[in-house]
Amino acid sequence: MTKANFYRTLQAEIDRIDNAKTAKRHERIIEGFRKEEGRAPKGIVQGKSYMIFNSNDYLGLRHHPKVKAGEQEASEKYGAGPGAVRFISGTLKVHVDLEKEIARFHDAEAAMVFSSSFAANMAVIHCFIKGQSRDSVVENNTLVVSDALNHRSIIDGIRVAGLPKENKAIFKHLDYDDLKRVLEEHKGKFKRVLVITDGVFSMLGEYADLAEMKKVCDSYDDAYEEGVITIVDDAHGIAAMGDRGRGCQDVTGVLPDLLVATMGKGIGSDGGYVTGRQVMIDYLRESAATYIYSNSIAPGTAGAALVSFRMLQEEEGKALLAKLKDNITYFRKKAKDAGFRFAVDSIHGIQPVLIGDPVKTNELTRALFDDGIIATQISYPVVPKGKDEIRIQISAAHTQKDLDECVEKMTAAGKKVGLLS
Ligand SMILES: Cc1ncc(COP(=O)(O)O)c(C=O)c1O
């Protein structure tokens, strides 16, 4: 009977979530994709086609024939799954080729693939906070400094590492003067500092100025015995921003000490990775639990990602990046001409259309859905009150026709809910 009490406790929590209307489990099911000439693939939901404006597939690579062929080829050669974790017998040549290609793409010494970038963040933070030995846990010599709006995988990475309160600090979002304050305040108290930030922040499409951040971190490097190590999670920046598709690295000219990213967004495949100095990657391979005790990505997934990274370094990839840039400019102008405003001026495919009121934002998102467009409502507490937005995500796969239709439908919906006159 005690289990009945347990189930009741779970049900009460689910009821609380449902009553607060914050449930996430009623997911929209995409049954397939419809491909029409001159249009981005449309998602089919309950038999009806929808234009997708909330995907992270910024270059349209997940539907690219060459990427899909890369997936097929690798799974034909190596099988559908990895068969074991990496250090047993799960290291296939396609994993090694992919890691070499990622390192080359970023001009980094080495790279390492994880099952996801969530798993990569958990590993990186845990390993470089605690080290391998029990003694280093006791020493508590690491200070972790995090941007106030970092992604949940970073927050959880820090939480799970279980550091005492004194070893954790937050700097104001994108405020590197505040980061300086934190580094100054803790001088002499710690041996090592990890400064962690998202690259592109996914709610508004803003990005971290890594050059500014580096300047501050470098100026405090001598103040700590093992220096100030920068870690950047640019999940949304890779294959989405910059002339070479390297996200914040291209836009700011800085490759952090450790770069974490996903292959499940712009790269059009799945899995996560880390780049850094060989010694850091070697250390991670010896100590990262989510790498040692968990399977790597499937061979097909690695084969698809390998094609994407190669393509980004060729003309075809560069053309897709240029198309994405053009699409963003075109959409922003059209939306502005139609009377919409943006919460911030983003150069990224994430375009936050400012609505400013949660009820109107909800009505507008629903009206768009009824009219065949899937976009995301973002409201408080994810963004500050009054900054409610419809997050439109632009892809290189969208055509001018798609973008025209999106703004036309946004305008009709805006009038319907009384946002536009
Ligand atoms: C900044 C950031 N890090 C990590 C992730 C997780 O990526 P993955 O799906 O590879 O775990 C996301 C995706 O939401 C993200 O936006």
Side-chain angles (χ1 to χ4, degrees), residues 192-401:
R192 175 192 303 180
V193 186
L194 307 182
V195 174
I196 312 179
T197 182
D198 281 22
V200 170
F201 286 81
S202 61
M203 293 306 135
L204 293 166
E206 323 140 283
Y207 64 90
D209 185 340
L210 301 188
E212 274 304 305
M213 191 176 108
K214 180 175 163 39
K215 223 186 287 170
V216 172
C217 292
D218 284 354
S219 73
Y220 280 88
D221 206 46
D222 289 340
Y224 297 88
E225 196 183 320
E226 292 190 355
V228 180
I229 293 119
T230 53
I231 305 174
V232 177
D233 173 358
D234 205 9
H236 283 272
I238 305 308
M241 198 172 82
D243 292 342
R244 296 165 70 180
R246 301 184 305 176
C248 291
Q249 183 184 1
D250 283 345
V251 175
T252 67
V254 171
L255 178 64
D257 296 318
L258 283 160
L259 174 79
V260 177
T262 184
M263 297 178 282
K265 300 188 195 294
I267 292 295
S269 182
D270 209 0
Y273 66 88
V274 180
T275 74
R277 282 188 183 236
Q278 189 68 54
V279 65
M280 287 170 151
I281 299 299
D282 284 347
Y283 183 83
L284 282 172
R285 286 194 210 273
E286 297 296 340
S287 54
T290 56
Y291 176 85
I292 298 171
Y293 303 106
S294 178
N295 271 357
S296 189
I297 53 176
T301 307
L306 183 57
V307 171
S308 294
F309 279 109
R310 285 184 178 149
M311 199 189 292
L312 280 168
Q313 296 167 83
E314 293 159 3
E315 284 317 306
E316 191 171 2
K318 294 201 176 101
L320 285 173
L321 287 161
K323 170 89 185 321
L324 173 60
K325 214 168 162 181
D326 287 350
N327 277 356
I328 294 166
T329 309
Y330 185 80
F331 172 79
R332 284 179 57 79
K333 177 162 184 344
K334 277 228 101 157
K336 276 187 183 165
D337 289 349
F340 287 100
R341 288 186 300 140
F342 291 93
V344 301
D345 285 327
S346 155
I347 61 165
H348 189 271
I350 294 169
Q351 290 297 322
V353 179
L354 181 68
I355 311 300
D357 170 79
V359 177
K360 272 203 172 112
T361 311
N362 189 266
E363 285 173 3
L364 220 145
T365 315
R366 281 164 184 265
L368 279 177
F369 183 71
D370 291 343
D371 215 1
I373 291 193
I374 306 181
T376 307
Q377 167 178 3
I378 310 265
S379 281
Y380 177 83
V382 178
V383 287
K385 281 187 177 153
K387 292 275 185 199
D388 308 81
E389 53 160 303
I390 293 192
R391 186 176 67 175
I392 298 284
Q393 287 172 276
I394 307 289
S395 166
H398 290 130
T399 62
Q400 207 156 320
K401 226 172 172 175

Side-chain angles (χ1 to χ4, degrees), residues 140-142 184-192 223-224:
N140 271 338
N141 266 331
T142 305
E184 180 66 34
E185 267 176 30
H186 293 85
K187 245 173 31 180
K189 296 185 195 152
F190 295 93
K191 204 173 188 176
R192 175 192 303 180
Y224 297 88

Side-chain angles (χ1 to χ4, degrees), residues 26-37:
H26 310 294
E27 294 147 354
R28 187 172 285 142
I29 300 166
I30 296 184
E31 295 143 9
F33 288 91
R34 191 160 287 151
K35 292 180 184 144
E36 285 169 39
E37 191 56 32

